[in-house]
Amino acid sequence: MKISKVKLTAVGVPRHTGFVNKHVIVQLETDEGAVGIGEMSDFSHLPRYSVDMKDLEATLDSILIGKNPFDTADINRELDLNFPQALYYYEKGSFIRNGVDTALYDVCSKFLGVSMSDLLGGRQREKFKVCYPIFRHRFIDEVEENIEVVRGRLEQGFDTFRLYVGKNVDADEAFLDRVYSEFGDKVTIKSLDFSHLLDWKDALRATRRLAKYRFELVESPAYWNDFEGLNHFRLQCEFPISEHVWSPRQQYEMIKKDSVDIFNIAPVFIGGLTAARKAAYAAEVAGKSVLIGTTQELSIGTSAMAHFGSALPHLNYTSDPTGPELYIDDIVTQKISYENGYLRLPDRNIAGIGVDLDWNKIEKYRVPDLSWGDVSVHQLQDRTSQTRG
């Protein structure tokens, strides 16, 4: 089997907040008729540069056409050379590699007539617990808005939430006080997610201030790649510490400095399922736990993460992929499903990734490019409405 054509399609799908996220759908056609799909998720994020779609498609043509999609190791090495790792959280090259790698696994599993999870080691679970994100408070009047989000999502079965913090700690504290006074034990706060906004000392002060409220762990409480600062925070904090993995080198430094308890692994940030599996194996050898992270993918990317998570033996904490619930729509015929706060895997009898493209939806949300327009830095950072500050 050989790859015969690469097709990229950009879509812009609005979130319920009003922010429009741009993603790229990848299709890999083969001479055997099997077609694999992947998702380059969330180009609408800092750093504020994008890629040229025509140039990207031509580059991937030169890399992929004529290759056997089962040669995932060789293809990923070539992708690394063309879109190198930059030791940065939102490196766009990682998004590109991830979309292609997902499509490789999809086309190979479809060709074999098996579920993608079977190529990733086999299922150890049919579902896993996920949390719904509460986005960062900039203003105190956003507390009431976010309480309403908790109220609505709790009715839908989501009882665990991840709270982005650090920009307005007064508002963070007010929110947590409202959550536990109104919902009590019905709601769990999985984590305080600082997203590298603060240095470790300021993050530690904020964590200690908020520690009177219940939460399970702390995420990204230092500037990115500050491995020593992360270690200092961990030694002085009573809660487990989680950090994203965005390159093998960065993970090596975190293991070397003993900086974390939990590795947050998302294929989009480390550049695909192949790299994510390596990161999960490294975590297991190092005696660390794992959770599945997210940039809030559509159903294609979320389905890939569901298959990845299904095969992990040390998925010990609540994970993050609830992206399809954040958007007003999707670009597949049937969205991946959630049940009582759990992400459910697609039916194992369905070959491949388990979701199908809906071309009517794709045409509805198709965009010509990945340009930025007048989106502000705050909107990119916090995924806020185009009309709010």
Side-chain angles (χ1 to χ4, degrees), residues 141-188:
D141 62 357
E142 291 176 324
V143 170
E144 187 59 41
E145 297 173 18
N146 280 332
I147 289 296
E148 187 61 35
V149 172
V150 174
R151 192 177 292 125
R153 293 298 174 174
L154 187 60
E155 290 179 359
Q156 295 176 347
F158 291 98
D159 59 0
T160 303
F161 298 85
R162 172 168 55 107
L163 177 62
Y164 287 91
V165 297
K167 188 164 285 188
N168 186 331
V169 182
D170 290 338
D172 297 334
E173 184 173 14
F175 171 80
L176 288 167
D177 191 72
R178 282 287 308 279
V179 163
Y180 286 117
S181 63
E182 179 170 341
F183 304 108
D185 292 338
K186 295 179 181 178
V187 163
T188 297

Side-chain angles (χ1 to χ4, degrees), residues 244-286:
H244 295 78
V245 181
W246 51 79
S247 83
R249 178 67 189 184
Q250 175 242 7
Q251 186 180 26
Y252 165 80
E253 292 293 341
M254 288 191 288
I255 293 172
K256 181 180 177 181
K257 297 290 196 303
D258 202 16
S259 298
V260 301
D261 303 287
I262 309 153
F263 283 117
N264 181 319
I265 301 175
V268 66
F269 293 135
I270 197 170
L273 293 165
T274 298
R277 294 176 73 191
K278 292 178 181 178
Y281 298 150
E284 187 174 16
V285 170

Side-chain angles (χ1 to χ4, degrees), residues 12-292:
V13 183
R15 294 188 179 195
H16 292 292
T17 62
F19 185 86
V20 177
N21 273 80
K22 292 184 178 180
H23 314 266
V24 176
I25 303 162
V26 182
Q27 293 170 273
L28 299 183
E29 299 180 7
T30 66
D31 58 359
E32 296 284 348
V35 179
I37 61 173
E39 178 183 311
M40 299 177 185
S41 311
D42 197 8
F43 276 92
S44 303
H45 204 290
L46 294 171
R48 192 167 173 164
Y49 66 85
S50 60
V51 297
D52 180 270
M53 287 285 293
K54 290 183 178 179
D55 180 70
L56 178 58
E57 190 170 82
T59 300
L60 292 176
D61 277 348
S62 69
I63 296 170
L64 297 172
I65 288 180
K67 296 287 178 63
N68 184 334
F70 282 97
D71 292 334
T72 52
D74 286 340
I75 292 173
N76 271 275
R77 276 192 289 270
E78 190 160 355
L79 289 171
D80 272 333
L81 290 173
N82 284 273
F83 307 100
Q85 299 169 20
L87 277 176
Y88 182 68
Y89 191 13
Y90 284 101
E91 169 54 40
K92 304 300 172 65
S94 297
F95 301 177
I96 294 166
R97 298 195 308 273
N98 175 54
V100 173
D101 199 37
T102 298
L104 291 173
Y105 278 91
D106 183 39
V107 73
C108 291
S109 53
K110 284 174 176 172
F111 181 76
L112 295 174
V114 300
S115 170
M116 185 187 287
S117 58
D118 293 325
L119 288 190
L120 295 171
R123 297 191 183 190
Q124 300 196 30
R125 56 186 66 83
E126 292 294 331
K127 62 181 181 179
F128 54 85
K129 188 72 172 178
V130 293
C131 61
Y132 194 87
I134 301 298
F135 292 106
R136 190 168 285 107
H137 298 96
R138 295 168 298 145
F139 312 104
I140 196 73
D141 62 357
E142 291 176 324
V143 170
E144 187 59 41
E145 297 173 18
N146 280 332
I147 289 296
E148 187 61 35
V149 172
V150 174
R151 192 177 292 125
R153 293 298 174 174
L154 187 60
E155 290 179 359
Q156 295 176 347
F158 291 98
D159 59 0
T160 303
F161 298 85
R162 172 168 55 107
L163 177 62
Y164 287 91
V165 297
K167 188 164 285 188
N168 186 331
V169 182
D170 290 338
D172 297 334
E173 184 173 14
F175 171 80
L176 288 167
D177 191 72
R178 282 287 308 279
V179 163
Y180 286 117
S181 63
E182 179 170 341
F183 304 108
D185 292 338
K186 295 179 181 178
V187 163
T188 297
I189 301 296
K190 185 205 81 170
S191 62
L192 306 182
D193 189 343
F194 286 93
S195 304
H196 316 109
L197 283 183
L198 304 180
D199 69 21
W200 73 268
K201 292 180 182 179
D202 287 338
L204 185 62
R205 281 189 282 270
T207 300
R208 286 172 172 168
R209 177 177 171 181
L210 301 174
K212 59 186 174 183
Y213 303 101
R214 289 183 291 108
F215 52 89
E216 295 178 348
L217 56 102
V218 180
E219 298 190 86
S220 305
Y223 293 144
W224 59 75
N225 297 327
D226 181 8
F227 309 115
E228 291 186 0
L230 202 55
N231 174 258
H232 287 310
F233 184 99
R234 180 172 180 252
L235 292 176
Q236 298 181 59
C237 181
E238 63 182 289
F239 297 95
I241 308 305
S242 170
E243 182 56 280
H244 295 78
V245 181
W246 51 79
S247 83
R249 178 67 189 184
Q250 175 242 7
Q251 186 180 26
Y252 165 80
E253 292 293 341
M254 288 191 288
I255 293 172
K256 181 180 177 181
K257 297 290 196 303
D258 202 16
S259 298
V260 301
D261 303 287
I262 309 153
F263 283 117
N264 181 319
I265 301 175
V268 66
F269 293 135
I270 197 170
L273 293 165
T274 298
R277 294 176 73 191
K278 292 178 181 178
Y281 298 150
E284 187 174 16
V285 170
K288 305 295 184 181
S289 295
V290 165
L291 63 84
I292 308 295

